Amino acid sequence: MNGALIDELDLSNNQFAGIIPSSIGKLSSLHKLSLESNRFFGEIPTEMFGLNQLQTLNISNNNLNDGIPVEIL
């Protein structure tokens, strides 16, 4: 599947644990990303900084470090 075709991804409330996969940064047409209420930890991958179409990002209720970097806003 070509990741560029995905414009909305909702993985909330799944108890996923670990770091956010850097491969999410390959979803170039992503407009909405919902990862809230999981057990992600660490930092937001720098690959996500290139998601230029992203309009909505919800990463609340995880264990991420340092909040949302300015580069992603």
Side-chain angles (χ1 to χ4, degrees):
M1 176 186 282
N2 183 347
L5 300 176
I6 298 172
D7 65 356
E8 185 173 326
L9 183 60
D10 186 347
L11 299 175
S12 58
N13 300 300
N14 283 294
Q15 298 185 16
F16 290 129
I19 60 171
I20 297 174
S22 61
S23 56
I24 287 180
K26 295 180 181 179
L27 303 175
S28 59
S29 65
L30 202 61
H31 290 108
K32 180 179 180 182
L33 177 58
S34 300
L35 300 174
E36 74 269 14
S37 299
N38 284 291
R39 292 182 290 160
F40 290 116
F41 59 83
E43 298 182 5
I44 297 173
T46 57
E47 291 83 358
M48 287 180 60
F49 300 166
L51 294 174
N52 298 323
Q53 302 298 315
L54 194 63
Q55 297 173 359
T56 304
L57 174 63
N58 190 340
I59 55 172
S60 62
N61 297 316
N62 283 287
N63 295 312
L64 298 171
N65 299 343
D66 300 328
I68 300 174
V70 174
E71 296 90 348
I72 204 169
L73 299 176

